[in-house]
Amino acid sequence: MRRKILLTAFLKVALVESLLEVSGYLGSTVTLPSGADPSWDLSTIDWSIFSNDTLIATYRNGKENIERVDRYKGRLSLNISSGDLRIHSLTTDDEMEYTVDLINTEVKDSLNKIKLRVIQHLQEPTIRTEVARTSAKSCWIWLHCSSMDKGVDFSWQVKPPSVSVFNMSNPDGNFAVLLAFVNTTQNHVKFTCTSGRQTESTSSFVTLECDDDKPQPQPQPPPQPRSRHIVVFFIGSLLGSLLTAFVVYFFGERIKAAWQCLKENPASINVL
């Protein structure tokens, strides 16, 4: 009996194909191919993960079960004809090695492994600009394009194409710089920076002219609500009343004496 088990395990290992790598974008859907022979009529399909062969999707005795593991519930689709497994709404935790064990109606077995990589879509590059006027009729425009993604290539597109440009490449590939000489007659020049990797690319653009070097008017502060004016008036009146009371309390007698002196001897006003 032990020899039979060892022989079965050996045959399964011998039937394992080379590891296939599949990539899928974060949040999208990916199909893991089973690698089954198209001529096979499948009777058993077992998809598993981890070294302990945790089953996540199965087809046995004509019954399909794709709700075996909580983390995959509602996110799997199994093709019982081809054995392919689809994973929806990909997450970074889905990146791992998957194993599929197939048995056809003639009791032939096939074991394949698929490595799933979950990648993110490229983010739009960021463009920084500076405008330096050289004369009343022309200016230099400096543009710096960078990306949060690693290992991307950059390219520039300028409209109209008559604008004189100088592409300054970066050896590290982390950013791209462009210098453009623009005449004041060339209004609204459109600069587009594209970042790409393999078959995917994305871009950002800015539209500039020589007048963009002029300082922009500062925004006016919003008008204060009427209630704020009322509060300020009330506080000012209160402080004025307190100040008057303070003066009268401490200097009242002196003020009365001075006023009486002025009434009796008006000529003394010059002295005061």
Side-chain angles (χ1 to χ4, degrees), residues 144-145 154 167-177:
H144 178 282
C145 182
F154 296 96
N167 199 339
M168 303 175 65
S169 60
N170 173 34
D172 297 332
N174 297 327
F175 61 87
V177 174

Side-chain angles (χ1 to χ4, degrees), residues 79-267:
N79 187 324
I80 60 175
S81 297
S82 64
D84 295 347
L85 180 69
R86 299 188 73 186
I87 306 177
H88 307 270
S89 303
L90 280 177
T91 69
T92 54
D93 292 335
D94 295 331
E95 182 172 292
M96 66 179 74
E97 186 177 291
Y98 294 77
T99 302
V100 55
D101 190 358
L102 307 169
I103 301 177
N104 67 1
T105 53
E106 298 177 358
V107 199
K108 292 183 179 180
D109 194 2
S110 176
L111 191 69
N112 297 316
K113 292 183 179 295
I114 299 91
K115 172 65 177 179
L116 174 61
R117 292 181 61 250
V118 180
I119 57 180
Q120 292 189 8
H121 282 289
L122 293 178
Q123 303 178 63
E124 291 185 358
T126 302
I127 302 177
R128 294 189 290 115
T129 65
E130 287 187 15
V131 179
R133 186 181 291 274
T134 57
S135 68
K137 297 182 179 180
S138 63
C139 67
W140 283 98
I141 298 180
W142 176 86
L143 302 101
H144 178 282
C145 182
S146 60
S147 174
M148 297 293 292
D149 300 302
K150 303 297 183 182
V152 295
D153 298 319
F154 296 96
S155 61
W156 290 97
Q157 297 82 39
V158 182
K159 293 183 179 180
S162 58
V163 176
S164 299
V165 296
F166 304 89
N167 199 339
M168 303 175 65
S169 60
N170 173 34
D172 297 332
N174 297 327
F175 61 87
V177 174
L178 188 75
L179 283 176
F181 184 74
V182 180
N183 294 323
T184 54
T185 56
Q186 297 169 316
N187 293 329
H188 305 296
V189 181
K190 182 179 180 181
F191 300 90
T192 302
C193 177
T194 301
S195 61
R197 183 175 57 198
Q198 297 179 353
T199 59
E200 187 185 10
S201 65
T202 184
S203 60
S204 298
F205 72 89
V206 292
T207 302
L208 300 170
E209 57 182 341
C210 285
D211 287 343
D212 288 334
D213 68 326
K214 294 181 179 180
Q216 300 297 319
Q218 296 297 323
Q220 297 297 323
Q224 295 182 345
R226 183 177 179 84
S227 58
R228 185 176 297 179
H229 290 290
I230 296 175
V231 172
V232 173
F233 175 77
F234 174 77
I235 293 175
S237 300
L238 179 60
L239 291 176
S241 300
L242 292 175
L243 181 60
T244 302
F246 176 81
V247 172
V248 171
Y249 179 79
F250 287 98
F251 302 99
E253 295 299 327
R254 295 184 182 182
I255 293 174
K256 287 181 180 180
W259 178 250
Q260 187 65 28
C261 180
L262 288 173
K263 288 175 65 178
E264 297 176 354
N265 187 9

